[in-house]
Amino acid sequence: MGNRILIPTPLRPYTGKQDAVEVEGRTVAELLADLTTRYGALRPHLYNEAGQLRSFVNVYVNDEDIRYLAKEQTPVQPGDTISIIPSVAGGAGDAAVAAEPPALSRDEVKRYSRHLIMPEVGMEGQQRLKAARVLCIGAGGLGSPVAMYLAAAGVGTLGLVDFDVVDFSNLQRQILHGTPDVGRSKLASAKDRLHSLNPEIEIQTYETALSSANALGLFEPYDIIVDGTDNFPTRYLVNDACVLLGRPNVYGSIFRFEGQASVFATEGGPCYRCLYPEPPPPGLVPSCAEGGVLGVLPGIIGTIQAAEAIKLIIGAGEPLIGRFLIFDALRMRFRELKLRKDPDCPVCGANPTVRALIDYEQFCGLRPAAPEAAQAPAAIEEITPIALKARLDRGDDLLILDVREPQEYRINRIAGSVLIPLGDLPARFGELEADREIIAQCKSGVRSARAAEFLKSVGFTRVRNLQGGILGWIDAVDPGQPKY
Amino acid sequence: MADQPLVLSGAVSAAIRAHGGEAYPHECCGALIGRDGRVTEAFALSNTTEEGPRRRFLVRPADYRAAEQRASSIGAELLGFYHSHPDHPAHPSQYDLDHAWPFFGYVIVAVAEGQPAAMTVWWLKDDRSAFDPGRLIEEGGAAALEDAAPGRLR
């Protein structure tokens, strides 16, 4: 005994004008396979070149969308009614008009020949790449491989947003830049590198900090935004601007040995806020500058982002939409989590409460425009490196408590300091003498301020924070030590 | 399909233009209901896209069903859909092509700075490779406006 599939108006010419067809199978996939075997001309309208159901084809089993059941593997009972229901979509779109795609020159044909001979790219896909406009936020760890591979692949217009200069500590992972570029603007360095890689493409640079004031204007002329940022306020800003403008957000992030990637803010797909509606409390998740990052990690995650951007442009394969990829370089393992669009998402849900860009520093609980060495909370008294040196020279009895990690302590330290990492402090504060004056210290003063707050909360009264941390100490007092 | 003209009653073409003007700067959309190639009703739908209604439109399955029900309730058929291109030519985009259904007429009305202008109709080729420009006849008014450059897309 079979099942009835209801055929929508535009497909009825392929089924001999019938509005329903009897088919057989145990799952939706089998029923559809039977249908397209009987009526082969239906196939290209239901499935894309990769054999997946097209995004605007909705299949219902008795009024239930199979997306919320087991998709095409949804089992079907005899007598269930299957409906194919079109979503009708369109619009002026990103490229105003589907104009004639740009032709490739002889040199370009040669350059892209390894793309051109694959059916998934081909001449048409390469022309789409040439017509495409991709904006990369950040020309650092993730931005380096993203921009280099997109330039090499022939993305016609590549935009880069950054405001930093190249530092020695960048070179361990930011392969856009070389040792002679230290001290140059990252964008100038990136432009040179990318043009030497591929002089055929156009590179637009925006030497500015991305903000709520400029994001929509910067994103508007681009088809795809690639997020290579390293902090939460900018990540939420990129996400929200992408949702508001209808641009896919190709997301990646890295920390120590772990990376994440996904594609957010596509039609019908989840956005970053569907996954993380609220940012973590400030300081809970350390930045790469605080926690470190394996140099090759952005290479892995950034190339995944580049691959996703290219797939979106040429329309091939299965994009990372509704899928959250987690990579662990230590175990060398990928995991994948399913993501659903949150109907109550404040930005992309049915009734959004965020309809314009907001103050993201405030949203993430940070003081406005906090510089790298953020100010310690007001309640904690600070001491400058110069004052600390003077007191040590005077012979004052001070305990210098270094709350960094042991591997940081091995790079540089203040002579005589005691090491208790911030995370161990709640278990180990008993080792400290309660009546002795304590100077808490870390790399730049953020972690030690939290350590001082914690010590005060458990009864220590004479606690101060070293302003600027070990970096401040080295600058003002002990320039012979290495910095990191 | 492409060789048969799509005829819009005077009321229908006025309704589509008015809808495009009202929705500006957003895109409007709706269903075309009638029979035998003549549209007698423009069934306005809400644009539910989450991609930014200034450059996209989306008709959800529930609205699609409502349009089919409306058509069958008046003994007519769904002949296609219309949408507007605010400040863009009445010419289908790559996105339109990627999302098109066969045998539906896709009517596009250009709306320039809030003023409805050229209207065109397009039919998807059987192999989905491109749209064929169609002939649009607006009853009680000028015949098809021919300012959208005909020709193949892609």
Side-chain angles (χ1 to χ4, degrees):
Chain A
M1 145 139 199
N3 292 88
R4 265 157 58 87
I5 291 194
L6 304 183
I7 307 295
T9 308
L11 298 182
R12 285 176 201 160
Y14 297 121
T15 58
K17 301 260 176 205
Q18 301 175 84
D19 58 7
V21 174
E22 287 283 327
V23 288
E24 289 183 9
R26 286 161 301 170
T27 62
V28 169
E30 289 179 9
L31 294 179
L32 292 176
D34 188 26
L35 177 71
T36 50
T37 307
R38 291 170 198 232
Y39 303 101
L42 282 175
R43 177 157 263 283
H45 299 293
L46 297 181
Y47 294 95
N48 64 20
E49 291 77 2
Q52 290 145 358
L53 270 185
R54 292 185 182 276
S55 62
F56 49 91
V57 175
N58 306 285
V59 180
Y60 285 67
V61 175
N62 302 331
D63 291 336
E64 277 275 6
D65 188 335
I66 62 165
R67 286 191 188 93
Y68 303 110
L69 301 170
K71 299 193 177 163
E72 284 169 81
Q73 297 317 311
T74 304
V76 181
Q77 305 303 321
D80 283 349
T81 297
I82 318 302
S83 324
I84 298 173
I85 301 179
S87 285
V88 179
D94 307 325
V97 185
E100 279 296 309
L104 300 189
S105 69
R106 281 167 60 100
D107 283 351
E108 286 174 311
V109 169
K110 211 167 185 180
R111 176 184 284 270
Y112 305 124
S113 62
R114 297 299 186 277
H115 272 166
L116 296 173
I117 57 179
M118 292 195 293
E120 292 82 356
V121 186
M123 182 58 79
E124 189 189 310
Q126 195 63 49
Q127 287 175 306
R128 282 192 183 200
L129 286 168
K130 185 172 180 176
R133 304 174 59 87
V134 178
L135 182 67
C136 186
I137 313 300
L142 291 169
S144 286
V146 168
M148 288 173 77
Y149 274 105
L150 292 183
V155 167
T157 306
L158 201 52
L160 296 170
V161 186
D162 207 308
F163 60 93
D164 224 347
V165 293
V166 180
D167 184 85
F168 268 110
S169 66
N170 300 150
L171 301 178
Q172 164 254 21
R173 63 197 178 284
Q174 301 184 10
I175 55 171
L176 263 176
H177 318 295
T179 306
D181 298 315
V182 170
R184 285 181 83 194
S185 104
K186 284 191 176 175
L187 290 185
S189 161
K191 201 167 180 175
D192 287 352
R193 180 79 187 93
L194 295 171
H195 261 152
S196 86
L197 195 56
N198 191 347
E200 309 276 358
I201 64 165
E202 195 177 326
I203 296 163
Q204 304 274 359
T205 54
Y206 308 94
E207 195 129 32
T208 177
L210 192 69
S211 70
S212 298
N214 64 21
L216 294 176
L218 282 171
F219 288 14
E220 220 278 333
Y222 289 89
D223 306 323
I224 294 174
I225 312 300
V226 181
D227 181 358
T229 59
D230 58 358
N231 62 79
F232 286 99
T234 323
R235 204 165 284 158
Y236 279 96
L237 167 59
V238 169
N239 180 74
D240 292 2
C242 282
V243 172
L244 292 174
L245 285 171
R247 299 292 190 283
N249 168 13
V250 181
Y251 161 85
S253 79
I254 47 171
F255 181 64
R256 294 193 170 164
F257 291 90
E258 273 211 18
Q260 308 174 337
S262 194
V263 174
F264 293 122
T266 57
E267 180 190 359
C271 79
Y272 184 70
R273 289 216 204 202
C274 296
L275 175 65
Y276 297 122
E278 298 281 330
L284 181 71
V285 181
S287 69
C288 286
E290 286 167 10
V293 62
L294 180 70
V296 72
L297 184 66
I300 295 168
I301 299 299
T303 47
I304 289 172
Q305 291 177 280
E308 287 306 305
I310 289 171
K311 281 161 58 190
L312 290 176
I313 294 165
I314 65 177
E318 198 178 326
L320 262 183
I321 297 169
R323 299 190 290 145
F324 195 70
L325 195 64
I326 300 174
F327 171 66
D328 180 342
L330 274 185
R331 298 181 176 189
M332 199 47 77
R333 250 177 228 157
F334 284 95
R335 281 191 299 143
E336 191 180 306
L337 305 179
K338 272 190 189 158
L339 280 188
R340 273 211 190 159
K341 189 178 175 71
D342 178 1
D344 299 323
C345 174
V347 190
C348 77
N351 298 297
T353 51
V354 178
R355 294 162 176 276
L357 298 177
I358 57 172
D359 180 342
Y360 291 88
E361 296 279 341
Q362 191 185 49
F363 176 64
C364 293
L366 302 173
R367 273 160 290 284
E372 199 172 307
Q375 299 297 304
I380 303 298
E381 242 183 287
E382 290 198 326
I383 183 167
T384 66
I386 301 280
L388 175 62
K389 176 74 164 72
R391 291 195 55 192
L392 288 170
D393 288 349
R394 241 181 12 230
D396 286 2
D397 180 33
L398 304 172
L399 172 74
I400 300 174
L401 175 66
D402 190 327
V403 298
R404 296 177 299 160
E405 301 299 315
Q407 56 277 17
E408 297 179 86
Y409 191 73
R410 279 196 280 277
I411 301 171
N412 51 26
R413 71 205 72 87
I414 299 174
S417 59
V418 170
L419 176 70
I420 301 181
L422 180 61
D424 298 346
L425 204 52
R428 291 180 56 191
F429 68 85
E431 297 169 26
L432 303 170
E433 299 155 72
D435 49 350
R436 204 163 161 205
E437 186 172 351
I438 298 174
I439 311 295
Q441 166 254 312
C442 64
K443 181 183 180 188
S444 65
V446 177
R447 279 173 287 173
S448 54
R450 294 194 6 246
E453 266 177 68
F454 169 77
L455 290 175
K456 287 209 157 176
S457 74
V458 294
F460 290 82
T461 49
R462 302 172 65 201
V463 189
R464 291 169 150 218
N465 185 25
L466 177 62
Q467 203 179 74
I470 187 84
L471 295 180
W473 172 262
I474 292 172
D475 283 342
V477 175
D478 192 2
Q481 288 207 60
K483 292 202 285 188
Y484 62 98
Chain B
M1 298 279 89
D3 42 334
Q4 296 289 320
L6 187 74
V7 181
L8 306 183
S9 75
V12 164
S13 67
I16 293 173
R17 286 199 155 86
H19 193 188
E22 281 160 25
Y24 182 89
H26 294 168
E27 292 196 1
C28 73
C29 57
L32 303 171
I33 292 171
R35 53 189 319 159
D36 302 327
R38 182 167 180 274
V39 180
T40 49
E41 180 172 333
F43 187 68
L45 295 167
S46 54
N47 181 0
T48 57
T49 184
E50 283 150 1
E51 275 203 81
R54 293 176 84 124
R55 43 204 321 129
R56 291 278 192 258
F57 79 92
L58 174 67
V59 176
R60 287 183 187 285
D63 285 338
Y64 177 87
R65 281 183 157 172
E68 274 209 340
Q69 275 160 15
R70 170 67 191 162
S72 66
S73 75
I74 59 169
E77 283 180 344
L78 208 49
L79 298 179
F81 285 84
Y82 68 88
H83 71 280
S84 61
H85 276 185
D87 296 325
H88 283 304
H91 206 264
S93 64
Q94 183 65 46
Y95 190 86
D96 289 331
L97 179 62
D98 290 342
H99 292 78
W101 289 87
F103 301 101
F104 270 163
Y106 281 84
V107 168
I108 302 178
V109 58
V111 184
E113 292 173 354
Q115 293 305 310
M119 190 139 70
T120 55
V121 64
W122 304 81
W123 305 91
L124 181 67
K125 277 183 185 297
D126 220 24
D127 63 1
R128 306 193 58 88
S129 62
F131 277 109
D132 283 324
R135 267 204 303 145
L136 191 67
I137 296 176
E138 296 183 53
E139 289 178 349
L145 285 156
E146 303 273 357
D147 62 343
R152 290 180 179 187
L153 296 167
R154 292 180 93 167

